[in-house]
Amino acid sequence: MSRPAARRLPGLRFEMQAPPVADALPRMDVAAFVGFAASGPLHVPVVVEDVADFEAVFGPAPLLAWDAERGEPVYAQLEPAVRAFFRNGGRRCWVVRVAGPSARANTFPVPGLLRVTEGGGVSEALARARSEGSWSDAAQVASSIHREPVELVDWHTSLDGGVELTVTAPGGVAVGDLLRVSFDGTSCALLAPVEAVEAVSMETVPTWSGPVPRRVTAKVLAPRARWLQSDVAPVDTTPFISWTRGVGDEVSLDVTALDDPGPGTTPRVLTLTLDLDPEQAPPAGTVLRIVDASTGEHWLPVEAVVLGQGVGAAVQVSGVASRVLTSAPPEVASAPAWCERLTLGLWTRRGEGQPARLERLGFCPQHPRHWAALPTDVERARHEDALPSRLPEERLPQDWRQGVPSERFPLAGPGAEGEAFSIPLGLTDQPTAFVGCTPPPGDALVRDGLATFGSELFLDAGVKSLGTEALLSTADFLRYQSTQPRALKGLHAVMDRLDASLVSVPDAVHRPWVLTGRPAVPPPEDGEPLPEPAWGSFLDCALRPPPPPEPLVAQPEEPASGQAFTLTWALVDGTGVVYVLEEATRPDFSDAAEVYRGPLVERTLYGRTTGTRYYRVRAERGGVTGPYAPGVAVTVAPQARWRLVATDAYDVGPLLAVQRALLRMACVRGDLLAVLSLPEHYREADAMAHAAALQSPLGAEEDGVPPLGFVEEHALSFGALYHPWTFVTEEGRLATPRRMPPDGTACGVLARRTLARGAWVAPANEPWDGVVALNPALSQDRWLDLQEAQVNVVRQEPRAFLTLSADTLATDPELRPIHVRRLLSLLRRSALRLGATYVFEPNDASFRRRVQYGFEVLLGELFIQGAFAGKTPATAFQVVTGDALNTPTQAEQGRFFVDLKVAPSQPLTFLSVRLVQSGERGLVTEVR
């Protein structure tokens, strides 16, 4: 019998319905920055929504060169530009890291890990840095293993060398797991990568609380299983030994002796005596490959390294050797067996800092978290960019995270292609040794891809010389239609980021740098001899001058600017000895000054700037002065071996090439505004000349990029030029303001004004947050000249640093204001979005009225918000869809045209207030 419905009391009931979501205008506050970074993917846009996101991917600003004129290091400007963007109101930006083809990524040997290929070969496992550059030189890698017990029901081998296991485990086992079967009383283990699973039974185990686990018994197939036999040794006492260094090169080692304790010793630790320099010794944690003519290939994880031991040898290494077999050893036939499931842990650290780690990584390619599939920055950026259109099971795992969340995990896998599975070798629950990389040959700046500064770093060679008519079609052909489609490089990679409306290349304004050698330094001269005693004076025979406290040694010998260094000298026998250390800038010590007096035999000096200084030390005892020890010269080198060229040798060609290409790309996109800046040393005349050079169609071709031609004049309205540079106080660096070009701050102000009031409001008279000074401070007498030259001058006003002009480089007065260009770009985006909704509609009179109404509503909303001039909508905008525009011939071709005619609003540039004095009392009143 059904239950009657509950009755309600009489009354009124109100149902609140959520209002429809307003159709927001297209976003116009997203910026794109192109420049130099320490890490991160090359030529791939990465979306960033705060400073922490940027630092996690791209790291701190890399050191580029040394400015000899200022005596200070020069850093990349991409990182401070992004910081300034967010500081001034930006919320989202795209970042493109650029570098030359010489950029290389470091390679790291993974301690205690081997890889088995599909063909059966075994090799050391190598990881790689997640991106190119020298940023990972100081990183070190370690590994650990996590073991989970699994009940072994049965096992047997097949004729083809594979293994079939029957195991029981909570939740069962899955394809991609690695099972290890150990045999008591033997040194053998079976490594079975799971490739097929067949459930046999399932049971539920009751518990007192929490979820109820299910124990699953399954039959596991592992056709590629391998046997690992430990506590073995080669027969030959001088076998062939090699190891794979961090650069991926296999290095052979000369063995002079092999100490084997014998098969009865557990563990059977082998000691190898190697004939090589201590600097070239394999560190603890590396895996040595031992090839014996009789017993085959052995693998020795280095557990200890002793330098300077053994007769006639420099290095001794020791560890327990193992070998990989394809068939079962006879001693396992009757031994008790037990099973466990293995996962890998990867650890990284820099120096003695807190290590970062990734846990529960798989050893097999089928594992969803296979260690070799750790993505590089390029792979991760492309996957994250494609997330909305990809199925969840195709996306990268969401837990590729590490223990320290401030920085992205620095390692990437070598790729799982051609791998059967990986073999752990001597790993424990905690890492025992951290191994660093051997960087590829070359200076750090060479491996960063920044050894040569030029426009080719920022431009795609396939499209940089093209005009506005052919640029878009050629770019689409290279990306989608060529025989080998490829992504565009440099600033042209921003072309397909459709939400970006601002673009800047802050690192294009650098002066080039060159590699300089160490200058010749004259050696210190010998100290003057002790003064002779006065004639006729008698001296106490017990007073003897103390000997010189030599040798005097500096460590390091060539410290960098600002780096501390320590001077040490020998101890003089006796009591009451006082040491006197002197410093001079001349090799003859004519300007020597005392910097230390006391009983210590070392002194650490701080804060020495670039240059060569000379030091000498002597001992005093009982008022008697001893001779000086031989002096030492300490050259404080710049923080970078590369030096900027002088300002009088600056070539503006690369900057013109980059900015011309940037204007063309912005014009082709139709909705980008290029924010341009100038070199720091440019004065008023230089700035005006540069603006004229960008506008002139008769200029010379620079680095393969021709000037904007007569038919490309409209591209000038897509660029705005800002000057001068600014001193900015950054978060956490309040004591040392940083000099930077103004484009990062300008983009932030543009984004803030757009979010607050709209893209059609002029981005002027807005305070620039964080700016404390200008460099150079342009003369007020030239402000009007700069404004007429369409250079937006950053000025210091009583209330803030700001700009009182907002001009593009357009020669057309109607398109000169930035807000007009931004308004037209907004209309373009809105029209594209609205027009796409009318595709495939019937082309009739009703359709025309519907289209006209839709665009009138769009423009009407903008009119209400103040985007257009005029007192009424009829005088502010017009939507044309009549028969004169859409002829029957065009209708037959399936085409429909809409003309949007608008009158952009004009900003108030002057507010006049008239003050009149009347009467003897000096009354001042306002008169209109």
Side-chain angles (χ1 to χ4, degrees):
M1 178 176 171
S2 61
R3 183 178 180 181
R7 300 184 62 186
R8 296 180 180 273
L9 294 175
L12 298 176
R13 179 169 178 264
F14 294 91
E15 293 184 357
M16 301 299 296
Q17 186 174 6
V21 178
D23 189 13
L25 293 173
R27 195 167 183 177
M28 293 290 294
D29 65 300
V30 181
F33 294 95
V34 182
F36 306 144
S39 60
L42 287 176
H43 306 290
V44 178
V46 177
V47 65
V48 172
E49 296 192 345
D50 55 38
V51 175
D53 280 352
F54 179 90
E55 292 179 344
V57 179
F58 298 97
L63 175 64
L64 299 177
W66 181 262
D67 189 349
E69 296 179 359
R70 292 183 175 273
E72 62 185 18
V74 177
Y75 293 88
Q77 295 295 341
L78 177 64
E79 184 251 0
V82 173
R83 283 179 170 270
F85 172 75
F86 287 112
R87 186 185 306 111
N88 283 272
R91 296 182 182 178
R92 178 186 175 94
C93 68
W94 292 91
V95 178
V96 181
R97 178 195 176 197
V98 297
S102 65
R104 295 290 182 270
N106 288 331
T107 306
F108 296 83
V110 182
L113 197 64
L114 302 177
R115 299 186 74 190
V116 180
T117 64
E118 293 180 349
V122 182
S123 62
E124 299 98 323
L126 296 176
R128 51 182 171 168
R130 59 178 172 86
S131 62
E132 295 83 355
S134 60
W135 62 274
S136 60
D137 287 354
Q140 295 178 313
V141 184
S143 55
S144 62
I145 196 171
H146 179 268
R147 297 171 291 181
E148 179 184 351
V150 175
E151 182 181 345
L152 179 63
V153 179
D154 187 20
W155 73 275
H156 63 273
T157 60
S158 58
L159 297 178
D160 58 356
V163 176
E164 183 176 317
L165 306 174
T166 303
V167 296
T168 301
V173 296
V175 174
D177 289 343
L178 179 65
L179 303 180
R180 181 172 67 183
V181 181
S182 302
F183 299 88
D184 291 339
T186 71
S187 59
C188 301
L190 171 65
L191 296 172
V194 179
E195 297 190 18
V197 178
E198 179 183 350
V200 176
S201 63
M202 182 183 304
E203 62 176 330
T204 301
V205 180
T207 58
W208 292 103
S209 62
V212 179
R214 294 185 175 182
R215 292 173 52 84
V216 180
T217 302
K219 184 180 295 184
V220 175
L221 300 179
R224 301 181 182 180
R226 292 291 185 274
W227 294 85
L228 187 66
Q229 185 179 18
S230 302
D231 292 336
V232 295
V235 176
D236 191 356
T237 57
T238 57
F240 172 79
I241 298 181
S242 65
W243 69 292
T244 303
R245 295 191 302 181
V247 291
D249 298 335
E250 186 175 358
V251 181
S252 60
L253 304 175
D254 294 332
V255 182
T256 60
L258 188 153
D259 184 14
D260 180 11
T265 306
T266 303
R268 189 177 180 179
V269 179
L270 304 181
T271 301
L272 306 177
T273 303
L274 307 177
D275 184 13
L276 77 167
D277 295 334
E279 296 80 8
Q280 300 176 353
T286 56
V287 180
L288 302 183
R289 175 174 172 262
I290 305 176
V291 180
D292 183 68
S294 302
T295 57
E297 197 174 57
H298 298 68
W299 300 95
L300 178 72
V302 177
E303 298 177 1
V305 180
V306 180
L307 304 179
Q309 299 293 326
V311 178
V315 176
Q316 283 186 339
V317 297
S318 58
V320 178
S322 304
R323 59 179 178 174
V324 180
L325 307 175
T326 57
S327 58
E331 57 264 30
V332 304
S334 58
W338 49 280
C339 183
E340 53 192 351
R341 178 165 37 195
L342 306 179
T343 54
L344 178 69
L346 283 181
W347 304 63
T348 64
R349 72 178 182 187
R350 296 188 183 185
E352 299 300 327
Q354 180 183 1
R357 67 185 184 274
L358 282 177
E359 299 284 1
R360 303 298 180 92
L361 302 177
F363 290 93
C364 305
Q366 298 83 0
H367 195 280
R369 285 170 48 81
H370 181 37
W371 80 270
L374 280 170
T376 63
D377 280 343
V378 172
E379 294 168 345
R380 186 163 181 169
R382 289 175 178 171
H383 277 79
E384 290 174 349
D385 185 48
L387 284 183
S389 60
R390 295 174 65 89
L391 298 176
E393 60 271 15
E394 295 177 343
R395 302 176 185 175
L396 283 179
Q398 296 299 311
D399 51 349
W400 287 122
R401 300 187 181 97
Q402 71 277 11
V404 182
S406 61
E407 183 181 359
R408 181 176 287 184
F409 195 73
L411 292 186
E417 184 178 359
E419 180 186 1
F421 69 103
S422 298
I423 296 178
L425 203 64
L427 297 181
T428 58
D429 296 340
Q430 294 294 323
T432 56
F434 282 84
V435 180
C437 71
T438 302
D443 189 86
L445 208 61
V446 175
R447 294 184 285 114
D448 292 338
L450 302 176
T452 303
F453 177 83
S455 62
E456 64 276 0
L457 296 175
F458 306 96
L459 305 179
D460 190 293
V463 297
K464 69 176 185 178
S465 61
L466 301 178
T468 55
E469 295 182 356
L471 176 58
L472 185 58
S473 59
T474 304
D476 290 340
F477 174 79
L478 293 175
R479 287 181 292 178
Y480 310 118
Q481 299 174 344
S482 63
T483 56
Q484 295 181 345
R486 65 174 179 85
L488 299 181
K489 297 181 179 181
L491 61 88
H492 294 99
V494 182
M495 288 187 67
D496 57 353
R497 293 302 178 262
L498 301 181
D499 59 337
S501 63
L502 303 168
V503 61
S504 171
V505 188
D507 281 312
V509 297
H510 283 295
R511 302 201 309 267
W513 45 81
V514 294
L515 182 62
T516 58
R518 178 182 177 184
V521 176
E525 299 180 4
D526 295 335
E528 60 271 12
L530 295 177
E532 294 289 341
W535 178 258
S537 61
F538 293 91
L539 300 178
D540 190 348
C541 295
L543 296 178
R544 296 180 179 270
E550 54 182 332
L552 176 61
V553 179
Q555 184 64 32
E557 296 179 356
E558 294 186 14
S561 178
Q563 180 184 4
F565 58 94
T566 302
L567 297 169
T568 60
W569 51 88
L571 182 68
V572 174
D573 295 336
T575 59
V577 178
V578 176
Y579 303 96
V580 179
L581 178 66
E582 296 180 351
E583 179 185 59
T585 60
R586 300 174 182 175
D588 60 356
F589 292 96
S590 59
D591 61 343
E594 184 178 307
V595 294
Y596 172 72
R597 176 184 290 268
L600 302 180
V601 293
E602 68 175 21
R603 184 67 173 177
T604 301
L605 302 179
Y606 303 88
R608 295 316 191 258
T609 57
T610 303
T612 300
R613 292 169 179 80
Y614 299 88
Y615 297 91
R616 62 182 182 180
V617 64
R618 56 183 171 86
E620 292 182 0
R621 181 168 50 200
V624 179
T625 299
Y628 288 99
V632 64
V634 178
T635 299
V636 180
Q639 297 182 13
R641 297 176 56 201
W642 304 75
R643 292 194 178 185
L644 292 182
V645 300
T647 55
D648 54 3
Y650 175 70
D651 180 15
V652 73
L655 179 60
L656 283 175
V658 171
Q659 293 183 346
R660 288 170 179 173
L662 192 60
L663 290 172
R664 285 192 175 97
M665 185 192 71
C667 176
V668 167
R669 270 281 303 266
D671 55 359
L672 277 176
L673 178 68
V675 179
L676 313 176
S677 59
L678 297 172
E680 183 181 12
H681 64 276
Y682 268 31
R683 303 296 299 183
E684 295 85 347
D686 301 322
M688 292 186 289
H690 187 87
L694 287 174
Q695 295 169 329
S696 174
L698 303 177
E701 181 178 288
E702 300 290 352
D703 292 351
V705 181
L708 298 174
F710 290 99
V711 297
E712 297 177 305
E713 285 187 354
H714 58 289
L716 295 171
S717 68
F718 290 89
L721 187 61
Y722 287 84
H723 196 60
W725 281 34
T726 58
F727 279 91
V728 175
T729 55
E730 295 187 323
E731 301 79 1
R733 307 175 185 175
L734 300 179
T736 55
R738 174 183 286 184
R739 295 195 324 276
M740 64 179 66
D743 38 11
T745 306
C747 287
V749 171
L750 279 161
R752 182 177 66 197
R753 174 58 66 93
T754 300
L755 290 169
R757 301 185 59 189
W760 53 86
V761 180
N765 202 26
E766 280 284 306
W768 286 29
D769 294 341
V771 178
V772 296
L774 303 175
N775 187 52
L778 303 181
S779 172
Q780 296 186 16
D781 297 336
R782 305 299 301 275
W783 282 355
L784 182 59
D785 296 334
L786 290 166
Q787 180 175 325
E788 292 300 321
Q790 295 168 256
V791 178
N792 299 307
V793 178
V794 185
R795 301 163 53 169
Q796 181 178 4
E797 296 295 327
R799 64 186 183 93
F801 290 87
L802 45 81
T803 61
L804 290 181
S805 62
D807 293 334
T808 66
L809 295 171
T811 56
D812 185 354
E814 299 294 334
L815 295 176
R816 180 170 174 172
I818 289 178
H819 74 277
V820 174
R821 169 47 58 199
R822 298 267 291 162
L823 174 61
L824 297 179
S825 298
L826 173 63
L827 290 176
R828 181 184 184 277
R829 290 190 174 187
S830 301
L832 287 175
R833 187 174 69 176
L834 180 59
T837 62
Y838 297 121
V839 178
F840 298 113
E841 292 288 333
N843 193 351
D844 52 16
S846 175
F847 168 73
R848 295 186 181 184
R849 290 192 296 271
R850 189 162 61 254
V851 171
Q852 183 167 0
Y853 174 76
F855 280 100
E856 286 178 349
V857 170
L858 170 65
L859 299 181
E861 294 178 353
L862 292 175
F863 171 74
I864 294 175
Q865 299 181 49
F868 304 137
K871 296 182 178 180
T872 63
T875 59
F877 64 86
Q878 185 179 4
V879 180
V880 180
T881 61
D883 295 336
L885 187 62
N886 294 282
T887 62
T889 302
Q890 294 170 347
E892 292 177 358
Q893 296 175 353
R895 305 172 67 183
F896 185 79
F897 291 90
V898 179
D899 272 359
L900 303 180
K901 301 180 179 181
V902 299
S905 61
Q906 296 298 323
L908 177 65
T909 55
F910 293 97
L911 177 64
S912 299
V913 178
R914 184 180 303 169
L915 302 179
V916 179
Q917 180 178 356
S918 61
E920 297 179 356
R921 298 175 59 185
L923 178 64
V924 178
T925 60
E926 178 181 341
V927 179
R928 298 183 180 178

